[in-house]
Amino acid sequence: MSNIILIGYMGSGKSTVGKRLSYVLRKPFLDTDRLIEKKEDITISEIFSMYGEEYFRNLETGCLEDIILQKGEYVIAVGGGLPIREYNRELLKKIGTVIYLRANPDTIYERLKEDTTRPLLSGVNPKEKIKEMMKTRSEFYEAAADVTIDVDDMNFEEIIEKAGELIE
Ligand code: S3P
């Protein structure tokens, strides 16, 4: 399947890059968080607080299982925690080319410090939490990725251009 999948930590730019890439490549854009919210008819934060993280992770896997059955080609942004499950990484490989938008914790913190929609960062000391989570997650992102873009010093135009070159 010639889908393009964007992975990376929260705030790495998956949705913004994904939407622009979708326009450039003329492939419709999908976002697993938005698909889950639509299907469940509640927000991600509500899913976490009402049913817990494991329940949400199962919805993510279900979402990938739905995507794999779709006809057509898409640009797909997936939630930051989705590549952690080994089975999800296997599904990603089957679905298409995986681009990892790699950013350092300071970049992520600056982008997310005013954000209230990420339940996993709602506790005290989000900066430390970001560092900690990125440390444990990066090996899974690396394992899932076909190509990696270091986005810290790049604007969105440069990221799109780079992504275009890498998937040619
Ligand atoms: C999560 C990232 C979020 C969303 C949920 C959990 C994570 O998606 O799926 O809040 O575990 O990193 P984004 O990466 O699109 O923010």
Side-chain angles (χ1 to χ4, degrees):
M1 288 167 103
S2 278
N3 295 298
I4 305 298
I5 304 140
L6 295 161
I7 65 166
Y9 198 74
M10 293 174 252
S12 57
K14 291 167 293 185
S15 300
T16 309
V17 170
K19 282 181 198 153
R20 296 195 191 186
L21 204 55
S22 133
Y23 179 76
V24 173
L25 299 175
R26 302 190 185 282
K27 297 179 196 244
F29 177 66
L30 300 177
D31 183 319
T32 57
D33 285 343
R34 303 292 85 77
L35 290 171
I36 289 169
E37 288 184 327
K38 200 166 166 201
K39 196 165 176 188
E40 300 297 301
D41 204 19
I42 47 174
T43 66
I44 303 290
S45 296
E46 286 166 336
I47 296 172
F48 269 75
S49 64
M50 289 165 72
Y51 306 110
E53 181 170 351
E54 189 62 15
Y55 181 87
F56 173 71
R57 298 300 171 202
N58 292 335
L59 293 176
E60 288 189 311
T61 299
C63 187
L64 287 185
E65 287 172 336
D66 289 343
I67 288 174
I68 212 165
L69 300 175
Q70 298 263 353
K71 289 199 174 68
E73 295 180 2
Y74 299 87
V75 174
I76 307 157
V78 307
L82 183 146
I84 292 167
R85 266 194 192 176
E86 188 180 1
Y87 176 56
N88 290 349
R89 294 198 299 277
E90 285 166 16
L91 291 174
L92 291 176
K93 292 262 179 239
K94 286 185 190 151
I95 292 172
T97 303
V98 180
I99 304 179
Y100 171 23
L101 302 183
R102 185 164 58 193
N104 72 41
D106 294 332
T107 306
I108 299 292
Y109 177 72
E110 282 310 311
R111 289 193 191 167
L112 294 185
K113 63 184 180 194
E114 312 294 341
D115 187 288
T116 54
T117 63
R118 266 63 173 216
L120 292 177
L121 298 181
S122 60
V124 285
N125 208 344
K127 202 168 190 172
E128 265 319 297
K129 185 85 194 270
I130 290 171
K131 276 195 183 142
E132 229 174 78
M133 286 178 82
M134 287 185 81
K135 220 166 164 188
T136 52
R137 286 180 173 192
S138 38
E139 68 171 297
F140 301 117
Y141 293 149
E142 309 282 347
D146 293 303
V147 294
T148 299
I149 303 178
D150 285 306
V151 298
D152 295 303
D153 299 319
M154 293 170 96
N155 63 36
F156 286 118
E157 302 313 318
E158 291 166 331
I159 299 170
I160 307 294
E161 203 179 310
K162 185 82 188 161
E165 283 165 27
L166 291 171
I167 59 181
E168 250 171 26

